[in-house]
Structure formats: structure tokens, C-alpha cells
Amino acid sequence: MAALKDILYRTAANIGVDADALQSYADALSSIVEEAHRRGEDVELMTFGTLRPEGSEPRFTPHASLLPPRDGDEA
């Protein structure tokens, strides 16, 4: 699984900016996710999937569009 820094570098490259320019966004996003986790709330990560608090470890469920096709599904 990609670390936040990996995602920052890839995103920055895709939009043509320096990764450092996105750091404040990443910090704010991390803060929001941590606060939601403390409250026991699910966090939907746009089209990436959903992060659910379960016990001491959160569980990530990827969005269906990121999963390989199942047998019988058309690509």
C-alpha cells in the first residue's frame, strides 16, 4: 500500500507542482482522518475507498472501481 508521501509525489507529478506545495493539504487531510477515527466514524476517501475504525486498527475497503473484475463481469 502506498504511503502518504508516495501519494503526494505522484499527485504532484500528475498536476505539475512540487510535492512540498501539497504538504499542507496532506497535513490537513491527516488531521481530519485522525479526528474522525477518534470519534469512531467511517471516512470515505473519495474514489479510493472507505476507512473504517475496527478495534485498534482501521480497516480499508477499496472502492469497487479499484478491484479487478470478478468472473462474469465485463471489463
Side-chain angles (χ1 to χ4, degrees):
M1 179 176 268
L4 183 56
K5 272 291 191 205
D6 298 326
I7 294 168
L8 278 180
Y9 286 120
R10 282 189 250 155
T11 302
N14 284 337
I15 63 175
V17 300
D18 185 7
D20 291 336
L22 298 179
Q23 188 61 52
S24 61
Y25 171 77
D27 293 342
L29 180 61
S30 292
S31 177
I32 291 166
V33 169
E34 287 174 17
E35 180 60 29
H37 182 70
R38 277 194 291 276
R39 291 191 307 255
E41 298 173 351
D42 291 355
V43 177
E44 185 174 343
L45 303 173
M46 298 182 344
T47 61
F48 296 111
T50 303
L51 185 64
R52 290 188 168 89
E54 292 192 359
S56 62
E57 293 293 319
R59 182 173 62 91
F60 176 73
T61 304
H63 189 271
S65 66
L66 300 177
L67 299 174
R70 295 180 302 196
D71 289 340
D73 287 349
E74 291 187 24

